[in-house]
């Protein structure tokens, strides 16, 4: 197939390109950022543009892709509270422009969207199912939910074909060591491994939650599994709709730290800070809806996620 990946210079977009190329697809990337050196030879073509610019939209129409995997967008909870305008513009308004182009010029194109667990807010119970209440607590989560709603509205009204994936804590790195997170990533495993590598400090935000060990519990998904879910979504045997990408299993912050310390053989200085506003005690996903359609799609457990990420950080450190 001909596939365009927006946000292709990023963490999930870059891994998605690698998986698509491995599967033999013709892949094109769009990003307003220059791709890192290790991704520059991956796509069949790359456009250095905002995905919603006139040049990018014309380029997309010219390519007439079978599918667009839409990973571009602004994705941090805290900054979205301080500057919601940026999030509603970058995520909602620009995606609406892309949707209209698909409707008008590529009606048979499937749109695969990177949504988020942030659409659920603080869940009533865990694991979360797709039918559970959506009550986001940040403009970031609201923007992702708005796009999910737009996709479903366009599907009903115009027949626009889509799959939306709500990710739960993407982590890890390419198993072959070709791609990983950029320095300064904010995710738990990335922060801990960078602190370990640099002999730095790692902060736990709250150890008095109503969980088994007092720290937050989260559901972790390997970035390679997410990328392969994207590849599976290209095929129309997967009905249009929203799907959770999770594991139905949660790990606490302390459990992740213990596992990472065992794998790396090192431990940074760990401090405990006050809770952060908006952090629910537990957040895990039921992936049953997606599992029932595609069968087994998760290939990597927590140890593999940490090991692959650590391999990536060590490799990058050796390059410096």
């Amino acid at each position: 197939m001909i596939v365009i990946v927006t946000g292709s210079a990023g963490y999930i977009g870059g891994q998605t390109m690698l998986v698509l190329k491995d599967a033999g697809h013709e892949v094109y990337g769009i990003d307003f950022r220059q791709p890192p050196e290790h991704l520059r030879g991956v796509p069949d073509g790359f456009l250095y543009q905002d995905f919603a610019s006139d040049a990018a939209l014309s380029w997309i129409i010219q390519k007439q892709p079978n599918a667009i995997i839409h990973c571009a967008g602004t994705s941090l909870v805290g900054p979205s509270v301080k500057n919601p305008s940026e999030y509603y513009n970058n995520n909602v308004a620009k995606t609406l422009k892309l949707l209209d182009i698909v409707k008008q010029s590529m009606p048979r194109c499937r749109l695969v969207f990177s949504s988020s667990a942030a659409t659920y807010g603080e869940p009533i119970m865990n694991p979360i199912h797709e039918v559970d209440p959506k009550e986001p607590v940040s403009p970031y989560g609201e923007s992702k939910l708005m796009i999910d709603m737009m996709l479903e509205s366009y599907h009903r009204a115009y027949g626009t074909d889509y799959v939306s994936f709500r990710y739960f804590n993407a982590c890890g790195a390419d198993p072959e060591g070709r791609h990983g997170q950029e320095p300064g990533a904010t995710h738990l495993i990335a922060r801990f491994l960078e602190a370990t590598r640099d002999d730095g400090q790692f902060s736990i935000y709250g150890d008095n939650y109503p969980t088994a060990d007092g720290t937050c519990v989260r559901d972790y998904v390997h970035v390679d599994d997410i990328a392969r879910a994207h590849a599976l979504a290209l095929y129309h045997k997967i009905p249009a709709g929203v799907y959770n990408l999770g594991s139905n299993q949660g790990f606490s912050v302390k459990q992740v730290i213990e596992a990472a310390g065992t794998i790396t053989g090192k431990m940074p200085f760990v401090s405990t800070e006050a809770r952060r506003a908006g952090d629910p005690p537990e957040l895990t996903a039921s992936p049953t809806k997606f599992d029932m359609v595609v069968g087994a799609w998760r290939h990597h457990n927590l140890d593999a996620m940490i090991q692959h990420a650590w391999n990536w950080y060590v490799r990058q450190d050796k390059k410096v």
Side-chain angles (χ1 to χ4, degrees), residues 126-311:
N126 285 278
I128 302 167
H129 295 75
E130 290 86 352
V131 295
D132 286 344
K134 270 69 71 178
E135 298 178 352
V137 295
S138 70
Y140 165 65
E142 291 167 353
S143 72
K144 290 291 188 178
L145 181 58
M146 287 177 185
I147 296 170
D148 284 345
M149 295 169 69
M150 288 194 309
L151 288 166
E152 178 57 26
S153 295
Y154 271 55
H155 177 66
R156 289 196 307 265
Y158 312 119
T160 303
D161 191 19
Y162 83 97
V163 169
S164 181
F165 287 128
R166 290 177 179 156
Y167 308 149
F168 283 68
N169 291 279
C171 57
D174 179 61
E176 298 179 29
R178 297 171 295 179
H179 179 58
Q181 289 192 291
E182 290 294 298
T186 60
H187 302 295
L188 170 66
I189 291 175
R191 288 195 300 111
F192 184 84
L193 293 180
E194 282 200 4
T196 301
R197 182 195 61 189
D198 301 336
D199 297 320
Q201 176 176 322
F202 176 81
S203 295
I204 295 175
Y205 293 101
D207 62 355
N208 58 349
Y209 285 93
T211 60
D213 64 20
T215 62
C216 289
V217 173
R218 295 292 182 266
D219 196 336
Y220 296 91
V221 189
H222 199 296
V223 67
D224 187 59
D225 288 335
I226 289 175
R228 285 186 298 102
H230 286 161
L232 290 169
L234 300 182
Y235 301 98
H236 292 262
K237 68 177 183 179
I238 300 179
V242 175
Y243 298 86
N244 287 339
L245 291 188
S247 69
N248 209 27
Q249 183 178 13
F251 295 94
S252 73
V253 173
K254 288 183 177 178
Q255 286 176 315
V256 172
I257 289 174
E258 182 179 353
T262 300
I263 287 168
T264 63
K266 299 174 64 178
M267 184 66 68
F269 176 76
V270 178
S271 65
T272 301
E273 311 294 338
R275 292 187 187 188
R276 296 180 299 191
D279 270 351
E282 185 175 352
L283 199 62
T284 59
S286 169
T288 303
K289 182 179 176 182
F290 194 54
D291 290 353
M292 290 178 65
V293 178
V294 301
W297 59 276
R298 293 179 304 280
H299 290 185
H300 306 289
N301 61 18
L302 180 67
D303 284 350
M305 298 176 207
I306 295 170
Q307 184 66 69
H308 294 154
W310 181 240
N311 294 345

Side-chain angles (χ1 to χ4, degrees), residues 95-122:
T95 298
L96 181 59
K97 290 181 68 175
L98 179 63
L99 259 176
D100 282 333
I101 288 296
V102 170
K103 175 175 72 76
Q104 295 162 11
S105 303
M106 297 170 291
R108 297 176 63 85
C109 176
R110 167 163 272 199
L111 191 74
V112 181
F113 174 57
S114 294
S115 190
S116 170
T119 57
Y120 295 108
E122 298 188 20

Side-chain angles (χ1 to χ4, degrees), residues 77-94:
V77 171
S80 78
V81 176
K82 296 179 179 178
N83 188 14
S85 173
E86 178 184 357
Y87 281 72
Y88 294 128
N89 181 48
N90 281 347
N91 294 353
V92 181
K94 291 181 180 179

